[in-house]
Amino acid sequence: AIGYALANQVDHLTITPDSIMPSWFLQSFVVTFAAYFTLFTRIWAVSNPKSQAHVGNGAFNLVRGEVYRAVEGHQRIRMRPDDDLKLGKIIKVAGYRQHLLHGTGLIVVEWYHSFREMVRGLEKNLFSGTDYSVFLTVFSSFLSLLVNVWPYIAVFVVPAPARWIYLAPACVLWFMAWFLARGMNVHPSCALAFPVTVLALVYMQWRTMLLNFYH
């Protein structure tokens, strides 16, 4: 990692890990989480200095010492539960070079052991991911249901030939999840759970938002 950062003159290097999960469904959720994380952070644009796309990962953030001190370290984000991602933001906004690599087979993180544990564990950062915006949380959750869940339901409830129109995006979404699963060293069959894991993610989004207001 240090060799790569020096050779490419990178100020902040973050690397995504393999996630160890004990069950097929939890592994399927990791695939869905990775899909959302990819779109949310626009990882394909992170290395572009002209783009505002930024990223950070609690599993691996390598920052040049002088850069870390120049942005005042974690001072501005010391109370943020998503400090790993926000560290990437303040570094990128300050004009420093940032890259992301995939650490498949190199870095491993043991994540959650059960669905209940995962729901409780993600309480801390799903709402912060939308900067505690109710509008963005509600909008993104309904968009998820419309784009990533409705096509699978529509195949069974709408009349032909409309159902065949919905079958196309459903297959595309499955292919996307299958492609991600293969790249993450997860069994490709985990892609089949994609619409169900999206529902689980939306449930966690709403639960986290409501807990922030009523606890």
Side-chain angles (χ1 to χ4, degrees), residues 149-160 162-164 166-167 170 174 195:
V149 177
W150 169 244
Y152 296 94
I153 299 174
V155 168
F156 296 99
V157 299
V158 302
R163 69 180 56 180
W164 305 114
Y166 282 107
L167 181 61
W174 263 329

Side-chain angles (χ1 to χ4, degrees), residues 65-137:
E66 63 267 26
V67 172
Y68 185 73
R69 288 186 289 271
V71 299
E72 299 180 348
H74 280 69
Q75 181 65 23
R76 283 183 285 169
I77 54 174
R78 61 189 182 279
M79 297 299 291
R80 297 279 312 202
D82 56 349
D83 61 296
D84 54 348
L85 187 61
K86 295 306 180 185
L87 177 63
K89 180 177 182 178
I90 61 177
I91 290 173
K92 187 66 180 290
V93 169
Y96 294 104
R97 296 195 63 187
Q98 187 174 90
H99 280 196
L100 177 140
L101 299 176
H102 296 292
T104 302
L106 298 173
I107 301 176
V108 177
V109 171
E110 187 173 3
W111 218 12
Y112 300 110
H113 295 90
S114 67
F115 181 74
R116 177 188 175 92
E117 186 178 309
M118 181 171 65
V119 170
R120 294 297 302 273
L122 291 177
E123 284 178 6
K124 68 184 186 301
N125 52 12
L126 282 184
F127 195 32
S128 65
T130 58
D131 282 329
Y132 301 100
S133 168
V134 174
F135 172 78
L136 285 178
T137 300

